[in-house]
Amino acid sequence: SAADTAAHIQKVMAQGEDRFESRHRRKDGSIFEVEVSAQYRPAEGGRFVVFLQDITGRKQAEEILQLTRSGVEAASDGVFWMAADGRIIDVNEAACRTRGVSREAMLNTMVWEIDPIWSPQAWSQHFAELRQHGSLRFEADQNHRDGRMIPVEIVANYVKTGDKEFN
C-alpha cells in the first residue's frame, strides 16, 4: 500500500538502510514475493539504492517445510533424526513425551545414551547395514527419565541429503 511504502521510505531515510519483504506485480499482472534491500545516500540531494530479489521459491519451500514439520509434530509416534555418528539432531514432541524429557535434553544426545543396545561400534555397524538396505525394522528397549525401560518398535530409514547422511 502507499502508506507501507511511505513508512519504509521514512525508515530507510532515518536509519540509512532497511531490508524487508514485499509483494510486487509483474508486467503480466501476476504477483510475486520479493525481498527489498534499500539504502539511502544523503549526498547530492539524496539517492536511494534499492535491490529486489524474487523470493517466491524460498517462500514456497518455507511453506512446505512448515507443513512437513507440523505433520511430524502431530504424529503420535516418536520421530528421531540422527546423524551418521549417532548424534540425535532433532526429535518430535512424541519422542520427548514417551521418554519424559524435553527436546533440549534430547538434542545432541548420542543414541547409546537412550538405547543401551547401541555402543559406538554397534551403531557404526548398524548405520552401515542401514545404508546398504535403506530401511530396517526391529524392537528395542529405551531409557525413560525415571529409570524404567520402554519397549519400542523402530523403523529406521536411511536418508542422504547432499553429502550428509541421516537415520
Side-chain angles (χ1 to χ4, degrees), residues 42-89:
E44 301 177 30
R47 295 176 189 247
F48 283 92
V49 178
V50 180
F51 294 97
L52 302 178
Q53 180 178 1
D54 185 340
I55 58 171
T56 304
R58 184 181 86 194
K59 289 297 216 178
Q60 290 169 343
E62 288 171 356
E63 287 177 16
I64 290 169
L65 181 61
Q66 185 176 11
L67 175 63
T68 302
R69 184 65 196 201
S70 296
V72 169
E73 282 301 325
S76 58
D77 291 331
V79 179
F80 290 77
W81 288 266
M82 291 181 273
D85 66 0
R87 183 175 35 90
I88 297 170
I89 59 170

Side-chain angles (χ1 to χ4, degrees), residues 105-140:
M106 292 284 277
L107 297 181
N108 294 313
T109 300
M110 302 306 283
V111 67
W112 43 87
E113 295 176 54
I114 65 161
D115 194 330
I117 68 165
W118 302 115
S119 64
Q121 297 78 20
W123 176 259
S124 180
Q125 292 169 356
H126 163 76
F127 204 83
E129 185 179 349
L130 182 60
R131 186 183 295 123
Q132 179 183 2
H133 295 287
S135 183
L136 298 171
R137 180 183 298 263
F138 54 95
E139 293 181 2

Side-chain angles (χ1 to χ4, degrees), residues 88-164:
I88 297 170
I89 59 170
D90 201 2
V91 294
N92 70 349
E93 183 59 34
C96 299
R97 189 175 47 252
T98 301
R99 285 151 191 84
V101 296
S102 69
R103 175 176 272 128
E104 293 74 27
M106 292 284 277
L107 297 181
N108 294 313
T109 300
M110 302 306 283
V111 67
W112 43 87
E113 295 176 54
I114 65 161
D115 194 330
I117 68 165
W118 302 115
S119 64
Q121 297 78 20
W123 176 259
S124 180
Q125 292 169 356
H126 163 76
F127 204 83
E129 185 179 349
L130 182 60
R131 186 183 295 123
Q132 179 183 2
H133 295 287
S135 183
L136 298 171
R137 180 183 298 263
F138 54 95
E139 293 181 2
D141 291 319
Q142 295 185 344
N143 298 326
H144 188 277
R145 182 183 68 182
D146 66 11
R148 66 187 161 97
M149 299 303 287
I150 308 164
V152 294
E153 179 183 38
I154 298 173
V155 177
N157 295 294
Y158 174 76
V159 177
K160 185 172 182 176
T161 303
D163 62 346
K164 295 182 179 179

